[in-house]
Amino acid sequence: MTDIQNDGRRLVSRRAVTRTAAWSVPAVAVVSAAPAFASSMTDVGYFAITAHCGTVNGVINSGFDLTAGAVALPAGTIISINPTNGVAVNISAPSGAVELGGGNYALTAALPPNQKITLNRLLNVSAATVTTAVVTLPTGFTSTGNPKTSAELRYAESGIAGVLGCQVGA
């Protein structure tokens, strides 16, 4: 067995050890931060917002259907509904959604897979208008399933004087 004798001299100074440690900590932190952020996004896959036309007792009862795909849509998903021409939009927010103001509605709970929520427009329209709905996922969620994130309802002349017809847009 070989004996190592210490003659009291240090081969590496304390400063050199501290300096090396100080430079290596930020590098490790930067390298490990990127994969953690990338993996924190949740993919909800395909989902769709679509428009529908209809009437109830002679009143236009058209609106938008938000349908989840194979993965639930998260609570906090925003549906922004914006009309043109300054026409007011009265939306019936169903159970599971809450009005945030300014034409914005949010899911209060996750929308289960393959389920839909309907936001109806309860308004007798007397002026030509286009109403657009756009869906925005909350922070931390993404969709790689080529979702349908917007839909349009159009109210235009129906061919009968003074009567507007509902049309589903893009």
Side-chain angles (χ1 to χ4, degrees):
M1 183 181 219
T2 307
D3 289 332
I4 300 176
Q5 294 185 355
N6 185 353
D7 62 2
R9 290 182 293 153
R10 291 191 183 161
L11 299 176
V12 179
S13 73
R14 286 185 190 142
R15 273 190 197 161
V17 171
T18 304
R19 186 173 44 242
T20 302
W23 278 103
S24 65
V25 170
V28 170
V30 168
V31 170
S32 64
F37 174 74
S39 66
S40 68
M41 297 295 281
T42 300
D43 187 2
V44 299
Y46 177 80
F47 65 90
I49 183 90
T50 55
H52 65 269
C53 294
T55 59
V56 173
N57 298 327
V59 177
I60 293 174
N61 189 18
S62 306
F64 299 96
D65 296 319
L66 176 60
T67 307
V71 177
L73 285 176
T77 296
I78 304 291
I79 305 108
S80 299
I81 300 176
N82 301 302
T84 60
N85 299 342
V87 174
V89 177
N90 180 12
I91 297 292
S92 170
S95 176
V98 64
E99 184 174 0
L100 302 175
N104 295 310
Y105 300 82
L107 295 181
T108 55
L111 182 59
N114 303 310
Q115 298 296 308
K116 77 176 177 180
I117 191 168
T118 298
L119 293 103
N120 280 328
R121 179 178 180 160
L122 304 170
L123 181 66
N124 210 349
V125 179
S126 59
T129 186
V130 176
T131 303
T132 304
V134 177
V135 178
T136 306
L137 295 172
T139 302
F141 291 87
T142 188
S143 174
T144 59
N146 195 23
K148 184 171 180 340
T149 59
S150 65
E152 284 183 352
L153 280 174
R154 296 185 184 123
Y155 297 97
E157 291 295 328
S158 66
I160 301 171
V163 177
L164 296 175
C166 177
Q167 304 165 349
V168 174

